[in-house]
Amino acid sequence: MVSATKQGSDSAAQDGEPVRRTTPHPADTGLNPGSGALDGAEGDSSPQDGTGHGTGGHGDGLAPGLRHVAFRAGIWRRRALIVTLRVVRLVRTGVVRFLPGLRYLGRALQKRWRRSLQFRTVLTTLMLAVTSFAVVGAYLSNQIANNLFQERLTQAESETRYNVKQVQDTFDGAQVTDQSSVITLVSDTLSAVEGRGSVIQRRYVFEAMPNQTKPRNRWVESRASDQLTVSVIPADLRKAVQESGKDQYWASTVIPVGTEDRPGIAVGNKVTFNGTVYELYLIYDLNTAQQTLNEIQSVLWAGGAVLVLLIGAVAWYVTRNVVSPVSHAAMVSEKLAAGQLQERMVVRGEDEVARLGASFNHMAASLQEQITQLATLSQMQQRFVSDVSHELRTPLTTVRMAAEVLYDARDDFDPINKRSAELLYNQVERFQSLLSDLLEISRFDAGVAVLDAEPEDLLQVIAHVIEGAAPVAAEYGSEILYTAPEGSMIVEMDARRIDRILRNLILNAVEHGEGKPVTVTVAANETAVAVAVRDHGIGLDQAQAARVFDRFWRADPARARTTGGSGLGLSIAMEDTKLHHGWLQAWGRKGDGANFRLTLPLRQEDGISEPPLQLEPKDVTTPGAPGSIPAEEGNRNMLVLQAGGATPAPPQASEETP
């Protein structure tokens, strides 16, 4: 953009903002203006005849010299290709090696961002501070640059107006007629203009306007300071000066000084001498102002960086004072949850954080007292149960021996005594079972139960349990349907405890199955094996299924104990399952029976990713049962237990479960 001011005005009238224009000096282009363009000469330089074939060569149409050049060019092309491939391979290797590190760093920062309130707060503060300082710094830098430029522009316009008037007065009063005198006058006058200026270093370009009649006595065409030429003047500025009258115009430009380019302002006017109109441009060097601006920007950015670091340090210190007690409280809470009830927070001062710590310590002390009381009461109960169980073993053994003697001799008694002997024998057996369960529960409560896990075939254990439950199933009129994969199923387990779990589940299903079939289904996947025991009896609702593993719990407390054992079987089964790091779950529905699923890991060090069987059975009809069992794809061996024992299905009868 070019701006004009009227000659003789009291103040500089600016039409618009200056436009910086970079006009490269010919010396900086690296080209010789007098040389021709040789780029287009690199073609096929071999001589051609009229047929398009070379005039010399050995069948390839090339002279020996050109053939040697082509051979060397091919070698260099191959070398360049090899180097390019090596560089590409090196870059790819670097990316492959550094990409995991960058990913790890990104994941670490993301994890730190999620888990650390202090890190998140400090980083957010730094980002906001950097953004704020960048915006403010850019605004201040722009305002300072504009003010410096306007100051230099006002001074340049004022000095140019004064110096142009002096030049025109000198030319108007000159009394020279010969060429040497004219040249000397012009040079001295322009040199005086160049030497003036209090702050800004000033140069000039003096050029006769084109397209005007050349007077007989015009001996000066152009003059310029140092290495300047008229090419440093923007074309828009020259056009504005040439088309104007006595107006003054200016534009931003670039001044070549030595080997560097400096910013400047070119102010143009017209002057006349001996009937010839000249363009006089005074060029002002803004390098000093640019250096001042650079120093100011450096100070701004350095000060901003230091201030951002100080803000980050302040934010870190403040957040540390706030977050540290919270982190300490979280650590103490974790220790309390782990059982270290004596842990407390360190309280300093009387502020909100100190009151929080005091309240936390008071809460921890209250919890410790209550937990200690409950633990003491639980230990007393456990010790009482253990002591009573041990103390009852000796008299119970004696009573059992006497009951067995009476039971064996019951045929010699009258009917009343015979019935009494049978009742005594049965109740002593029940008492013996209850005492054994109490002793086992006391071992679990004392934490002395040990898992003796070895690789065993789970299918053999299940078959043994089903065979032992056959008399009870026959007594209740139920049959047991056994569905399992072919072959063996090796699981790391304590066979004695798994036998007890399955015996409890199957006998419980038989006793509550109301004479309907009981289904035992086995399935496995890559990490776990599951055994589902399904009955079609009275069933359970959701609340009962949630409490079925509680000690001494019964679905119908008012119901007489004509069925069921000690009430501890499922509780012991749950404890045995926990020792195996497995799952024991129950599903039930009123009128549709219940389904108990035991899930065990194949190896104790591995976890259970997904159970092989679903807990809620699918609706698949079984023979003689209104309920449903899960159906699995694949061949199955079926063992049907009826009254009288177990009868394996023949191998040729193996088929999918209907």
Side-chain angles (χ1 to χ4, degrees):
M1 181 180 295
V2 179
S3 178
T5 58
K6 297 292 185 179
Q7 288 280 6
S9 60
D10 295 335
S11 60
Q14 181 176 332
D15 292 340
E17 292 292 331
V19 178
R20 292 186 179 274
R21 301 179 182 273
T22 303
T23 305
H25 191 269
D28 297 333
T29 61
L31 298 177
N32 186 358
S35 63
L38 300 178
D39 295 337
E42 294 180 5
D44 185 6
S45 58
S46 60
Q48 301 285 330
D49 58 10
T51 63
H53 298 284
T55 58
H58 301 277
D60 56 358
L62 297 176
L66 294 178
R67 188 165 57 250
H68 177 71
V69 171
F71 175 74
R72 299 297 297 177
I75 293 178
W76 282 107
R77 281 196 301 270
R78 287 193 294 272
R79 289 179 179 178
L81 180 61
I82 292 173
V83 171
T84 303
L85 292 177
R86 289 180 178 178
V87 170
V88 171
R89 188 181 298 111
L90 182 62
V91 171
R92 184 175 58 187
T93 303
V95 170
V96 170
R97 290 184 178 180
F98 286 105
L99 189 58
L102 294 177
R103 290 178 178 174
Y104 174 79
L105 180 61
R107 288 193 298 267
L109 291 176
Q110 186 178 8
K111 181 179 179 181
R112 185 72 173 174
W113 175 272
R114 294 195 312 266
R115 298 176 61 90
S116 176
L117 176 62
Q118 182 178 5
F119 177 79
R120 190 163 60 247
T121 303
V122 173
L123 188 59
T124 303
T125 304
L126 287 177
M127 293 173 61
L128 293 177
V130 169
T131 303
S132 301
F133 284 127
V135 173
V136 174
Y139 174 77
L140 292 178
S141 177
N142 184 61
Q143 291 297 317
I144 293 173
N146 289 336
N147 292 336
L148 287 175
F149 183 82
Q150 291 298 328
E151 180 183 356
R152 298 297 188 266
L153 177 60
T154 301
Q155 185 177 0
E157 288 179 333
S158 176
E159 291 189 2
T160 300
R161 192 175 296 109
Y162 173 79
N163 285 281
V164 168
K165 184 177 182 303
Q166 294 293 327
V167 169
Q168 188 63 60
D169 292 344
T170 302
F171 286 166
D172 292 342
Q175 300 294 330
V176 290
T177 56
D178 59 292
Q179 180 179 3
S180 60
S181 300
V182 170
I183 294 175
T184 301
L185 176 64
V186 171
S187 298
D188 293 343
T189 303
L190 295 178
S191 297
V193 170
E194 183 183 26
R196 296 176 183 176
S198 58
V199 177
I200 306 175
Q201 186 178 359
R202 185 170 55 238
R203 295 174 175 83
Y204 67 88
V205 172
F206 187 73
E207 184 77 15
M209 286 187 60
N211 301 325
Q212 60 176 332
T213 303
K214 184 176 181 180
R216 178 179 54 82
N217 57 349
R218 191 175 86 191
W219 294 297
V220 179
E221 290 291 334
S222 64
R223 287 288 186 274
S225 299
D226 300 333
Q227 52 184 321
L228 297 184
T229 62
V230 74
S231 61
V232 302
I233 308 301
D236 293 342
L237 178 59
R238 291 201 63 188
K239 182 178 179 182
V241 171
Q242 292 170 2
E243 294 177 355
S244 69
K246 295 184 179 181
D247 296 335
Q248 176 173 283
Y249 295 89
W250 65 270
S252 299
T253 185
V254 176
I255 309 171
V257 178
T259 58
E260 63 174 341
D261 292 336
R262 296 181 179 180
I265 300 175
V267 184
N269 290 268
K270 286 182 181 179
V271 294
T272 57
F273 181 52
N274 287 341
T276 302
V277 180
Y278 291 90
E279 303 170 27
L280 176 58
Y281 300 96
L282 298 185
I283 304 172
Y284 296 85
D285 192 350
L286 299 182
N287 188 56
T288 303
Q290 184 63 45
Q291 291 178 354
T292 302
L293 180 62
N294 293 337
E295 293 177 358
I296 293 175
Q297 290 178 343
S298 300
V299 171
L300 286 176
W301 291 118
V306 173
L307 194 55
V308 166
L309 293 178
L310 291 177
I311 291 176
V314 171
W316 176 84
Y317 178 75
V318 173
T319 54
R320 179 176 177 272
N321 289 337
V322 176
V323 174
S324 293
V326 178
S327 302
H328 182 55
M331 181 181 63
V332 174
S333 300
E334 293 175 355
K335 292 183 178 180
L336 289 174
Q340 302 178 19
L341 302 178
Q342 73 281 357
E343 290 292 329
R344 296 292 183 272
M345 288 185 61
V346 179
V347 179
R348 296 187 181 91
E350 299 178 357
D351 54 8
E352 293 82 0
V353 177
R355 292 198 299 272
L356 174 63
S359 301
F360 184 89
N361 291 340
H362 179 70
M363 178 189 67
S366 178
L367 290 176
Q368 181 183 11
E369 182 180 357
Q370 296 180 15
I371 292 174
T372 303
Q373 291 177 357
L374 293 175
T376 303
L377 180 59
S378 177
Q379 291 176 0
M380 291 175 60
Q381 292 176 347
Q382 294 171 9
R383 190 180 302 112
F384 174 77
V385 172
S386 178
D387 293 344
V388 170
S389 301
H390 283 84
E391 292 297 330
L392 288 177
R393 295 189 66 178
T394 301
L396 182 60
T397 303
T398 304
V399 173
R400 181 181 181 183
M401 293 175 60
E404 290 178 353
V405 172
L406 294 175
Y407 184 77
D408 294 338
R410 68 184 183 280
D411 292 336
D412 299 333
F413 299 157
D414 56 81
I416 296 177
N417 291 330
K418 180 180 179 181
R419 179 58 180 166
S420 299
E422 292 175 352
L423 292 176
L424 176 63
Y425 178 79
N426 292 331
Q427 294 303 317
V428 168
E429 288 290 334
R430 188 183 183 92
F431 194 10
Q432 181 71 30
S433 176
L434 175 61
L435 185 60
S436 299
D437 290 343
L438 286 174
L439 289 173
E440 188 67 24
I441 285 292
S442 66
R443 280 192 287 269
F444 282 117
D445 292 338
V448 296
V450 179
L451 182 68
D452 186 13
E454 293 182 358
E456 299 280 352
D457 187 359
L458 179 62
L459 300 183
Q460 292 184 0
V461 175
I462 297 174
H464 178 266
V465 172
I466 293 176
E467 185 177 359
V472 180
E475 181 181 353
Y476 281 90
S478 297
E479 61 180 4
I480 301 178
L481 305 179
Y482 176 37
T483 305
E486 295 181 347
S488 60
M489 188 176 296
I490 305 301
V491 181
E492 287 187 10
M493 62 181 180
D494 190 335
R496 179 182 65 86
R497 297 183 183 277
I498 298 300
D499 183 281
R500 182 166 59 192
I501 295 173
L502 295 174
R503 186 171 67 253
N504 273 303
L505 295 180
I506 294 176
L507 291 178
N508 187 72
V510 169
E511 292 175 357
H512 297 85
E514 297 182 340
K516 298 174 183 178
V518 174
T519 304
V520 180
T521 307
V522 185
N525 56 21
E526 293 78 5
T527 60
V529 59
V531 181
V533 180
R534 171 84 160 96
D535 68 77
H536 303 85
I538 58 176
L540 299 169
D541 57 24
Q542 186 175 2
Q544 293 172 343
R547 297 194 57 194
V548 73
F549 299 106
D550 293 348
R551 298 178 183 180
F552 301 106
W553 182 85
R554 293 176 65 85
D556 185 8
R559 183 160 53 93
R561 285 186 177 269
T562 58
T563 61
S566 62
L568 296 173
L570 292 179
S571 299
I572 296 175
M574 177 61 75
E575 297 295 339
D576 286 333
T577 305
K578 290 179 180 178
L579 284 179
H580 285 83
H581 305 97
W583 303 344
L584 182 57
Q585 298 161 302
W587 170 90
R589 182 184 297 167
K590 284 295 185 180
D592 290 336
N595 187 43
F596 287 79
R597 184 183 65 187
L598 171 65
T599 309
L600 300 173
L602 294 178
R603 291 170 296 276
Q604 287 298 309
E605 63 272 10
D606 298 339
I608 300 174
S609 59
E610 184 179 358
L613 291 175
Q614 66 179 25
L615 182 59
E616 182 176 356
K618 298 179 180 179
D619 293 332
V620 179
T621 304
T622 57
S628 60
I629 62 171
E632 301 291 337
E633 295 183 358
N635 292 332
R636 298 289 185 267
N637 290 331
M638 180 172 289
L639 178 67
V640 180
L641 294 184
Q642 299 175 349
T647 304
Q652 63 272 18
S654 299
E655 58 182 7
E656 293 185 4
T657 303

